[in-house]
Amino acid sequence: MDSKYKYSPESLMMSHGYSPEWSEGSIKCPIFQTSTFVFKSAEEGKAFFEVAYGLREKKEEEQLGLIYSRINNPDLEILENRLSLWDEAEECAVFESGMSAISTVFLEFLHPGDVLLFSNPVYGGTDHFIKHILDKYGIDALGYYPHQTKDEIIEMVRESGKGSRIAMVYVETPANPTNDIIDIQMCKELADTYSTPEHKCLVAVDNTYMGPLWQHPLKHGADLVLYSATKYIGGHSDLIAGACLGSNELITRLKTMRTFLGNMAGPWTGWLLMRSLETLKVRMDKQAANAEKVAKYLQSHDKVKNVHYLGFLKGEDKKIFDRQCESAGAMVSFEVKGKEKEAFKFINSLTLVKLAVSLGSTESLIQHPATMTHAGVSDEDKKRLNISSSLIRLSVGVENSDDLIHDLDQALQKI
Ligand SMILES: *Cc1c(COP(=O)(O)O)cnc(C)c1O
């Protein structure tokens, strides 16, 4: 075999990190539905715990032994190895939800007195955690907006007097639901500005909107990349899970926190996600191809305005997109002419496209951000973020694109 040849992640999703010899020749990794693992000897149990509890360094080639499923389980470890390939990350930690990945990152890497600099808008659950939970632990937050320049953000931080306490820059790009793009490299430069020799300011990127295929934040200076694996990675609207990837050092810290919060995913979820990963590329390719057709159709329709699709970016945004993204993705938002009444009439008239929050799944999903996912956003921020009463968000699935356009078309006619 040519050892220099490097297989693409999609070719490795069926086999990487698993050997059929371990399980009676079973081609698929079984579900290790077990809480605990039997040690061969007391000496082995002692050695495993020394590594798990950090009592000594791992020897070269030594792996963390299987102890107990809150610490590790083959379905999670193999899944983590496979997920790491897409982002070319050293390590990955899988969680029972996207929110548990995000909250564990905050709890591990922020301390009382620290300030979190974050992009607006972030996912509603993240926004709540930042404003109402971190607050209880004495962690302050400062929000910035898409299209603010680095200098404007630095000026805002200076005026707040909190610059010396910034410990993390947290970004969600493209922003949900309007696909506003934020430059990850700029966020890295901001983090460098607030880093000191004693304390490195980290950059964490929630990459859920682009999945592990279409944007690789670690390559653009991020330290941590986060996913709600409920979305593209799971991809079938049948599970809740999350993941965080980064360096060995950071993910080891995160996994230690995970062990004590106990918010790892279970073996069944791990197994389902491995099954999902086998088709990740074909699903996402088809979703992106469908989204391009749907976005073009919507843009040409006289009852539709302001189609927000990454493929339509211009100027400075387009430059950031070209540098940072590998696809225009499968999320499209747009306004129908009119207000909430017209938007609801349209949504209620759809038959193939389903009315539900969430995204990235095989079926196309539509929702009304102003009254659903972004109902908690203040009127002032809604205005600033262009979340109007006629804005609709569409997550494009793998259906036949002609069928999708047919359904959208007949519903637009009902307005
Ligand atoms: C859904 C979502 C989350 C939260 O993930 P859960 O799996 O629902 O906990 C976080 N960030 C983004 C961008 C999301 O879309």
Side-chain angles (χ1 to χ4, degrees):
M1 245 209 344
D2 180 359
S3 61
K4 279 205 209 87
Y5 188 83
K6 202 170 152 223
Y7 287 114
S8 310
E10 63 267 31
S11 301
L12 296 172
M13 286 303 112
M14 285 63 81
S15 60
H16 183 71
Y18 169 72
S19 170
E21 287 159 31
W22 300 340
S23 304
E24 309 277 6
S26 165
I27 190 163
K28 290 292 136 184
C29 174
I31 307 170
F32 288 87
Q33 192 69 48
T34 187
S35 59
T36 195
F37 297 85
V38 177
F39 305 135
K40 289 199 186 88
S41 64
E43 287 77 9
E44 186 185 75
K46 178 181 174 184
F48 287 2
F49 269 94
E50 283 170 348
V51 174
Y53 281 21
L55 303 178
R56 62 169 171 87
E57 288 286 305
K58 256 191 278 195
K59 292 189 197 120
E60 218 171 302
E61 302 283 296
E62 187 179 8
Q63 299 257 328
L64 176 59
L66 291 164
I67 297 176
Y68 182 72
S69 286
R70 180 156 46 73
I71 301 172
N72 52 2
N73 176 289
D75 290 297
L76 288 203
E77 290 194 344
I78 297 166
L79 168 66
E80 287 165 348
N81 292 340
R82 291 185 189 174
L83 262 177
S84 299
L85 296 176
W86 299 96
D87 280 293
E88 296 185 24
E90 281 177 18
E91 278 282 349
C92 169
V94 173
F95 292 83
E96 65 185 349
S97 69
M99 273 317 301
S100 57
I102 294 163
S103 54
T104 306
V105 161
F106 289 153
L107 293 175
E108 173 56 30
F109 298 108
L110 297 173
H111 300 93
D114 284 349
V115 176
L116 175 71
L117 184 61
F118 73 102
S119 68
N120 275 299
V122 285
Y123 180 72
T126 309
D127 193 72
H128 181 93
F129 199 90
I130 292 172
K131 289 177 184 155
H132 303 291
I133 299 179
L134 287 184
D135 183 53
K136 286 202 287 193
Y137 297 95
I139 298 160
D140 254 343
L142 272 175
Y144 61 98
Y145 289 84
H147 304 299
Q148 268 189 307
T149 64
K150 187 174 129 194
D151 289 341
E152 284 164 359
I153 297 168
I154 288 175
E155 179 56 22
M156 175 194 79
V157 172
R158 200 189 55 74
E159 276 170 18
S160 75
K162 294 174 181 169
S164 65
R165 297 196 283 128
I166 292 182
M168 182 187 289
V169 180
Y170 184 87
V171 200
E172 223 178 87
T173 179
N176 172 10
T178 49
N179 279 329
D180 284 301
I181 202 155
I182 296 174
D183 186 350
I184 297 170
Q185 268 177 29
M186 177 198 74
C187 298
K188 166 70 177 156
E189 289 165 22
L190 283 170
D192 289 344
T193 307
Y194 301 114
S195 288
T196 63
E198 297 77 45
H199 189 89
K200 182 176 187 284
C201 175
L202 299 176
V203 177
V205 179
D206 180 338
N207 200 35
T208 302
Y209 234 60
M210 295 301 260
L213 250 73
W214 298 329
Q215 180 170 267
H216 297 108
L218 298 177
K219 292 198 180 126
H220 301 280
D223 299 290
L224 296 164
V225 54
L226 287 147
Y227 293 101
S228 166
T230 311
K231 314 295 165 58
Y232 287 104
I233 296 172
H236 294 73
S237 299
D238 57 6
L239 62 84
I240 300 275
C244 180
L245 299 99
S247 69
N248 211 327
E249 185 200 339
L250 295 179
I251 301 301
T252 300
R253 279 178 60 185
L254 195 65
K255 281 188 174 173
T256 303
M257 189 59 139
R258 183 183 71 175
T259 291
F260 296 105
L261 291 175
N263 56 0
M264 70 299 152
W268 169 232
T269 299
W271 185 88
L272 277 173
L273 284 169
M274 280 196 271
R275 188 173 179 166
S276 289
L277 280 182
E278 298 189 7
T279 55
L280 183 72
K281 176 126 178 20
V282 283
R283 282 187 282 114
M284 290 182 73
D285 280 350
K286 171 74 170 163
Q287 287 175 266
N290 278 353
E292 187 180 351
K293 291 183 190 155
V294 165
K296 285 183 176 152
Y297 159 78
L298 288 168
Q299 203 182 32
S300 69
H301 200 287
D302 62 6
K303 284 186 186 162
V304 173
K305 56 181 186 172
N306 298 329
V307 179
H308 304 286
Y309 169 62
L310 291 176
F312 296 159
L313 292 178
K314 295 204 177 64
E316 200 50 41
D317 287 343
K318 170 91 166 87
K319 277 192 208 149
I320 301 170
F321 170 82
D322 285 342
R323 191 168 68 229
Q324 187 164 296
C325 308
E326 285 151 56
S327 162
M331 295 301 294
V332 183
S333 61
F334 56 97
E335 290 176 321
V336 290
K337 288 186 185 155
K339 293 218 154 39
E340 182 179 298
K341 181 166 160 273
E342 286 75 17
F344 280 16
K345 179 76 192 166
F346 166 72
I347 289 172
N348 290 336
S349 303
L350 291 162
T351 59
L352 183 62
V353 178
K354 298 293 177 265
L355 169 59
V357 298
S358 199
L359 60 99
S361 184
T362 45
E363 68 276 292
S364 294
L365 297 175
I366 209 153
Q367 62 106 1
H368 185 251
T371 60
M372 297 170 192
T373 48
H374 294 68
V377 174
S378 69
D379 286 345
E380 191 193 339
D381 267 359
K382 273 190 190 139
K383 206 165 200 167
R384 182 160 191 175
L385 301 165
N386 296 318
I387 304 172
S388 72
S389 63
S390 70
L391 185 76
I392 286 161
R393 187 189 79 179
L394 173 62
S395 166
V396 181
V398 300
E399 300 92 341
N400 181 301
S401 58
D402 292 339
D403 293 350
L404 285 175
I405 290 170
H406 169 82
D407 192 28
L408 296 168
D409 199 65
Q410 63 79 22
L412 282 167
Q413 282 173 32
K414 304 270 163 55
I415 297 177

